[in-house]
């Protein structure tokens, strides 16, 4: 029997949650049981009342707002504990077309993917500014390079996971889970696929993108941090090559000037070249040390996976507070 749980992180979503829930499917081909799970991230409106009135079976409640990333992970844990074989994550603002859930879960049901990302028609979304569209494309390209995947819409929150994939995720970032989970999945060898999906009308401004500069800064920080975590040797190799190469070129220039009989000593150039080469070498050493630490991280991740398999098997109660 295949059990699907659709989880929705919420923060003051009373105005849109009812519409979102009404659009969710009650039955799907290949799925025997569908349940809903709401993660209330410290809402101070009537979000919880709306969820209960709509018949939501599982409710995770935070006493105060802890951010989308923690809400997402709390939902993943609660879904696995509730016996989910497949988990779908969507937004409470009804941004994503719920009728596309069958497309989203089909690769997982067929065993062709561990995680599936819904790719929005970014260029056709009218309330996205041209700058935001360009940044979405650039950010997705960077995530593809960091994760070795082919995901065209990395920030999309409309996604599905198998139970086994859900057990493996660790979200360190407090801002969002979208980029981090893709990079983790790619680096851990999961099968990550993408399917085109539709979007609904614009109901409210994004809670994450309060300003384009802040969004770019946070997204870049997330990507760099995760790339350092999962590919430390490559990251520090690239980082160290830049100053080492500059120092090496300055050194070559100094040698050419020295043997050409120039009357000046050019000692400052020699010192600068030596400092840059030393910086590059030190970054390479840091990469080797970080790569050794990454081995320990992988062992800890395997231990955590075994722990979760043992401890996330009991069904959760309908109300959970953390």
């Amino acid at each position: 029997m295949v059990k699907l749980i659709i989880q929705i992180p919420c923060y003051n979503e009373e105005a849109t949650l009812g519409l979102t829930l009404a659009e969710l499917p009650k039955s799907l081909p290949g799925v025997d049981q569908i349940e809903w799970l709401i993660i209330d991230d410290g809402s101070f409106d009537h979000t919880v009342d709306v969820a209960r009135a709509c018949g939501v079976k599982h409710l995770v409640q935070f006493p105060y707002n802890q951010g989308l990333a923690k809400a997402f992970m709390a939902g993943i844990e609660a879904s696995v504990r509730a016996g989910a074989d497949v988990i779908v994550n969507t937004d409470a603002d009804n941004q994503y077309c719920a009728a596309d859930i069958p497309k989203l879960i089909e690769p997982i049901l067929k065993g062709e993917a561990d995680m599936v990302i819904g790719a929005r028609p970014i260029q056709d979304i009218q309330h996205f500014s041209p700058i935001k569209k360009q940044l979405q494309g650039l950010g997705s390209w960077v995530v593809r390079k960091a994760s070795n995947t082919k995901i065209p819409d990395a920030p999309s929150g409309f996604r599905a996971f198998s139970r086994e994939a859900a057990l493996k995720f660790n979200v360190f970032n407090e801002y969002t889970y979208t980029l981090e989970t893709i990079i983790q999945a790619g680096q851990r060898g999961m099968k990550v696929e993408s399917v085109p999906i539709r979007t609904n009308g614009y109901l409210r401004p994004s809670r994450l993108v309060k300003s384009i500069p802040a969004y770019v800064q946070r997204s870049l920080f997330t990507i760099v941090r995760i790339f350092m975590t999962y590919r430390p040797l490559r990251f520090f190799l690239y980082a160290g090559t830049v100053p080492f190469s500059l120092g090496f070129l300055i050194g070559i220039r100094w040698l050419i000037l020295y043997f050409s009989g120039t009357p000046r000593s050019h000692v400052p150039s020699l010192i600068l070249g030596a400092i840059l080469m030393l910086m590059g070498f030190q970054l390479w050493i840091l990469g080797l040390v970080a790569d050794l630490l990454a081995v320990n991280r992988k062992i800890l991740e395997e231990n955590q996976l075994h722990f979760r398999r043992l401890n996330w098997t009991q069904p959760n109660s309908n109300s959970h507070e953390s």
Side-chain angles (χ1 to χ4, degrees):
M1 187 177 77
V2 177
K3 183 175 183 178
L4 167 67
I5 291 184
I6 303 174
Q7 70 169 42
I8 308 177
C10 295
Y11 179 60
N12 296 329
E13 303 286 3
E14 66 171 343
T16 58
L17 181 58
L19 175 61
T20 301
L21 292 173
E23 297 289 328
L24 296 180
K26 305 297 189 301
S27 62
L28 289 171
V31 176
D32 301 291
Q33 189 175 358
I34 300 176
E35 295 177 359
W36 302 338
L37 184 147
I38 296 298
I39 308 100
D40 173 39
D41 190 16
S43 299
F44 49 83
D45 64 355
H46 296 288
T47 295
V48 173
D49 296 331
V50 172
R52 287 173 175 160
C54 291
V56 173
K57 183 175 182 180
H58 305 282
L59 181 62
V60 178
Q61 288 184 273
F62 288 167
Y64 58 90
N65 182 254
Q66 298 186 34
L68 180 59
K70 289 188 177 181
F72 168 80
M73 281 306 300
I76 289 293
E77 178 180 350
S79 296
V80 173
R81 287 184 181 275
D85 299 294
V86 182
I87 303 169
V88 166
N89 185 88
T90 189
D91 287 354
D93 61 357
N94 201 41
Q95 173 187 174
Y96 306 107
C97 182
D100 288 333
I101 289 180
K103 296 170 56 179
L104 201 66
I105 65 174
E106 183 179 2
I108 296 178
L109 295 177
K110 290 182 176 181
E112 298 173 352
D114 301 301
M115 178 168 72
V116 182
I117 313 295
R120 297 165 293 179
I122 298 295
Q123 298 304 319
D124 298 331
I125 300 179
Q126 296 182 355
H127 65 271
F128 278 13
S129 66
I131 295 178
K132 185 175 180 179
K133 292 178 180 179
Q134 293 296 324
L135 290 174
Q136 292 272 22
L138 177 61
S140 295
W141 177 81
V142 174
V143 171
R144 287 196 295 272
K145 293 301 180 181
S147 63
N148 294 323
T149 63
K150 298 179 180 179
I151 303 302
D153 185 12
S156 171
F158 194 44
R159 50 186 65 192
F161 314 92
S162 68
R163 178 183 180 88
E164 185 65 17
L167 288 168
K168 296 179 180 178
F169 286 127
N170 292 294
V171 178
F172 308 110
N173 185 270
E174 297 182 357
Y175 178 58
T176 182
Y177 62 89
T178 54
L179 309 182
E180 188 167 358
T181 49
I182 295 175
I183 296 175
Q184 283 187 17
Q187 297 296 347
R188 299 191 69 171
M190 299 185 202
K191 296 179 181 178
V192 184
E193 299 293 339
S194 176
V195 295
I197 54 100
R198 295 164 292 175
T199 58
N200 296 318
Y202 179 69
L203 296 180
R204 64 161 175 78
S206 171
R207 299 274 175 80
L208 285 179
V209 188
K210 296 181 179 180
S211 70
I212 295 298
Y215 176 74
V216 171
Q217 180 181 358
R218 288 188 171 186
S219 298
L220 287 176
F221 177 77
T222 299
I223 293 170
V224 171
R225 182 183 180 187
I226 300 172
F227 195 68
M228 288 175 62
T229 301
Y230 285 88
R231 288 297 178 90
L233 184 59
R234 180 179 297 184
F235 176 84
F236 285 103
L237 181 63
Y238 291 160
T241 298
V242 174
F244 187 90
S245 299
L246 289 175
F248 182 78
L249 292 175
I250 292 174
I252 294 296
R253 173 181 175 274
W254 183 87
L255 288 174
I256 293 174
L257 292 174
Y258 178 79
F259 286 109
S260 65
T262 177
R264 298 174 58 187
S265 62
H266 297 283
V267 173
S269 296
L270 180 61
I271 294 175
L272 177 61
I275 291 174
L276 290 173
M277 293 179 67
L278 181 61
M279 287 174 56
F281 183 75
Q282 288 177 332
L283 287 172
W284 291 343
I285 296 298
L286 281 176
L288 291 173
V289 173
D291 191 57
L292 294 175
L293 292 175
V295 176
N296 185 61
R297 175 188 53 76
K298 292 178 182 178
I299 295 173
L300 292 175
E301 286 179 345
E302 290 300 319
N303 290 337
Q304 182 189 59
L305 179 59
H306 291 308
F307 175 83
R308 286 177 172 177
R309 285 172 176 164
L310 291 173
N311 292 275
W312 287 14
T313 54
Q314 296 300 320
N316 208 3
S317 60
N318 289 354
S319 179
H320 173 71
E321 186 172 299
S322 60

